[in-house]
């Protein structure tokens, strides 16, 4: 039996988050990136493997999102400082 799942992330800069995650994709994962969204597909034979893969993906997505937001804030702070 094959078990399939997908996770869609969307919003501004979601493509940057997805790009950061692609290098961690395993053989049972595939990511499609589109404008302002990304979908990662998971496929496996065991529910435990799916749960572990999704858990890892979501934890890494949180870190990637935090880094993208921090970079945006830093960039905005630099632009503001240059205006002064």
């Amino acid at each position: 039996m094959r078990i399939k799942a997908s996770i869609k992330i969307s919003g501004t800069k979601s493509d940057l988050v997805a790009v950061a995650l692609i290098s961690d994709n395993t053989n049972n994962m595939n990511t499609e990136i589109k404008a302002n969204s990304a979908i990662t597909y998971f496929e496996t034979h065991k529910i435990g493997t799916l749960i572990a893969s999704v858990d890892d993906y979501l934890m890494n997505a949180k870190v990637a999102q935090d880094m993208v937001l921090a970079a945006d804030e830093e960039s905005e702070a630099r632009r503001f400082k240059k205006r002064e």
Side-chain angles (χ1 to χ4, degrees), residues 23-66:
S23 63
D24 291 335
N25 279 8
T26 61
N27 292 337
N28 68 330
M29 299 167 64
N30 182 42
T31 300
E32 294 178 3
I33 299 174
K34 299 178 181 177
N36 295 320
S37 71
I39 302 174
T40 299
Y41 300 93
F42 302 82
E43 185 174 345
T44 186
H45 291 289
K46 297 179 181 179
I47 191 71
T49 302
L50 177 66
I51 292 168
S53 295
V54 168
D55 182 59
D56 284 348
Y57 181 87
L58 292 174
M59 291 301 292
N60 292 342
K62 172 69 172 124
V63 171
Q65 180 187 33
D66 290 348

Side-chain angles (χ1 to χ4, degrees), residues 2-3 9-10:
R2 300 295 289 172
I3 302 167
I9 56 175
S10 60

Side-chain angles (χ1 to χ4, degrees), residues 64-79:
Q65 180 187 33
D66 290 348
M67 298 309 317
V68 168
L69 292 174
D72 277 350
E73 289 172 5
E74 178 68 22
S75 177
E76 186 63 28
R78 287 182 183 176
R79 276 190 290 232

